[in-house]
Amino acid sequence: MQRYLVKRILMALVTLFAVSLIIFILSRASGDPRHIYLDDYSTQEDWDQLTITLGLDKPYYQQYGIFIKDALSGDFGQSIKEGRPSMEIILERIPATLQLGLAAFIFSVILGVPLGILSAVKRGSALDIIGKVVALIGQSAPVFWLGLMLMFFFAVKLEWVPPFGKQEVTSIILPAIALGWFYAAANMRLLRSAMLNVLDSEFVRLARAKGVSNNAVIWKHSLRNALIPVLTFAGVTLGGLVTGSVVVETVFAWPGLGRLAIEALLGNDYPLMQAVIIAFTLMYVLAALFVDIMYAYIDPRIRYA
């Protein structure tokens, strides 16, 4: 177990290092940041002073070392647009993104898991067809289109919920559905396929032959084994629900990290953009690491991998 956990933690650290290196290279390749801070009325003295402040007078390897040192202490520089520390702005926006991601994850489980089980148990029935239609829509419809349709029908036409922003408690419903539908469809298809494989296996047939009740076969024997691949996919789901919120937060004007990333990109606020990418990467890696650890406890076969 310890060997497995050490390997996973080392892989997470390598991933964070690789992302930091890519961010550093892209930020330097995107142009001279001094042109963003200074205007046509700036003097040569202003230019030279900013060069020293940003560390651009040093070799690239020293600049990268300073970048890593500052990042480890939570210092990603001042936001150009806000004039405040980038990390301070990130911390203000993280709760909204986590709330949206958690709500979307709950929706994906509530919709996807029961539909996957029922579609497998009632294979070929009308319920199975409904589940396939739900999965097809969820995995084929673009997220921005789905969000706009939900907003048009339930917010504009029916006026059940606010159309955008974080105005009321119900404001989170539509963006959570738009963000979580794809993962609900994926959970449904994955669990249905896993359940069908388990239901057709030899040990389930043996259990039925011994007179085990149908409920026990489904809930005790089949579902427990079928949940292992679903749990593995949960790592992708947790990370994707957080990092994939850019489009949904933009459509619904949700005040989270996704919308902040678009604002930083449009405003050429590269220090803030770097901080957002690092925050997204850290949340994704931590979610995947958490699921890897949980997976090791559930499936003893991988403890010695």
Side-chain angles (χ1 to χ4, degrees), residues 4 19-20 73 76 78 96 101 129 155 177 203 210 233 237 251 259 267 271 273 276 286 288 297 303:
Y4 171 80
V19 170
S20 69
S73 62
F76 292 93
Q78 297 282 328
I129 296 175
I177 293 175
F203 79 90
K210 289 183 176 181
F233 180 71
T237 302
V251 170
R259 188 183 178 195
M273 190 65 203
V276 172
L286 289 177
Y297 281 101
R303 295 183 181 179

Side-chain angles (χ1 to χ4, degrees), residues 118-222:
L118 294 175
S119 294
V121 175
K122 305 292 184 180
R123 178 171 32 178
S125 65
L127 189 59
D128 187 20
I129 296 175
I130 294 174
K132 291 179 180 179
V133 171
V134 171
L136 179 63
I137 295 174
Q139 294 196 306
S140 60
V143 175
F144 71 89
W145 177 86
L146 182 60
L148 291 174
M149 291 299 101
L150 291 171
M151 186 187 301
F152 177 75
F153 285 108
F154 295 101
V156 178
K157 289 294 185 181
L158 299 177
E159 298 183 354
W160 287 355
V161 291
F164 56 83
K166 195 179 179 184
Q167 305 171 22
E168 304 173 4
V169 177
T170 55
S171 298
I172 200 172
I173 295 177
L174 294 186
I177 293 175
L179 181 60
W181 199 324
F182 172 84
Y183 296 97
N187 281 330
M188 178 265 168
R189 296 189 63 180
L190 184 62
L191 186 56
R192 179 183 184 275
S193 177
M195 282 286 292
L196 289 176
N197 288 333
V198 175
L199 289 172
D200 292 336
S201 61
E202 293 294 333
F203 79 90
V204 169
R205 293 177 182 175
L206 179 61
R208 293 185 185 276
K210 289 183 176 181
V212 177
S213 66
N214 189 52
N215 287 336
V217 168
I218 294 173
W219 299 106
K220 183 178 180 180
H221 299 283
S222 303

Side-chain angles (χ1 to χ4, degrees), residues 45-58:
E45 182 180 352
D46 296 331
W47 184 274
D48 295 337
Q49 181 61 43
L50 186 60
T51 301
I52 298 174
T53 301
L54 297 178
L56 299 178
D57 57 328
K58 299 179 175 59

Side-chain angles (χ1 to χ4, degrees), residues 2-3 33 41 48 75 89 95 103 114 137 140 147 162 169 181 191 200 208 211 228 270 285 295-296 299 304:
Q2 292 181 352
R3 177 184 173 186
Y41 300 99
D48 295 337
D75 181 10
I89 303 173
I137 295 174
S140 60
V169 177
W181 199 324
L191 186 56
D200 292 336
R208 293 185 185 276
I228 293 177
Y270 89 94
V285 168
Y295 194 44
D299 189 355
Y304 305 101

Side-chain angles (χ1 to χ4, degrees), residues 55-66:
L56 299 178
D57 57 328
K58 299 179 175 59
Y60 282 125
Y61 70 90
Q62 291 187 12
Q63 293 183 36
Y64 180 68
I66 295 173

